[in-house]
Amino acid sequence: MRALTFTLALVCAACAASADEPAPADDPAPAAEPAAGPAVSDAAPPMRSASVEITPLAESGVSGTILFTEGDEGVTVAYQISGLAPGLHGFHVHANGDCGPGEDGTPGGAAGGHFNPGGHDHGAPSNEADARHKGDLGNIEADPDGL
């Protein structure tokens, strides 16, 4: 799986997404008395992640999996995508988690524009984070086999 790392806050809305986060307890158990001895507080917080399955739209033949994982350095995006035409392809998160047709019938058009909560201009990850769409993740390059 290929991976990219971005230092940005990312909210991911995508088709067939699933978050691997613990669900809050409805009725938490009462806190237990701490055991005698030194306190252990160096436990790492749980890692948060979301995965997305890409299924072909119309007759595109593009499919794959994307995994977003939050870490100390930002968000790592690992992907395995096949069926692309050779060359560069824009890689971004859209505003809506709906891959249905758009109002004009365009396949996937219901996904809307790029995730852009700040109303900024289109850009690349090399641009300042507060001056571009949060969903602009740059380009990926497919080899001659579409991988």
Side-chain angles (χ1 to χ4, degrees), residues 2 59-63 79 81-90 139-147:
R2 298 178 185 179
E59 302 298 320
S60 73
V62 176
S63 63
Y79 60 91
I81 301 173
S82 62
L84 294 168
L88 293 174
H89 298 270
N139 293 321
I140 59 174
E141 186 166 7
D143 66 16
D145 294 324
L147 304 172

Side-chain angles (χ1 to χ4, degrees), residues 33-87:
E33 289 294 320
V40 178
S41 62
D42 294 336
M47 190 175 297
R48 297 187 313 176
S49 65
S51 62
V52 179
E53 181 181 347
I54 299 171
T55 57
L57 288 176
E59 302 298 320
S60 73
V62 176
S63 63
T65 304
I66 304 172
L67 177 65
F68 297 86
T69 305
E70 182 180 49
D72 293 339
E73 301 294 318
V75 175
T76 299
V77 182
Y79 60 91
Q80 185 171 4
I81 301 173
S82 62
L84 294 168

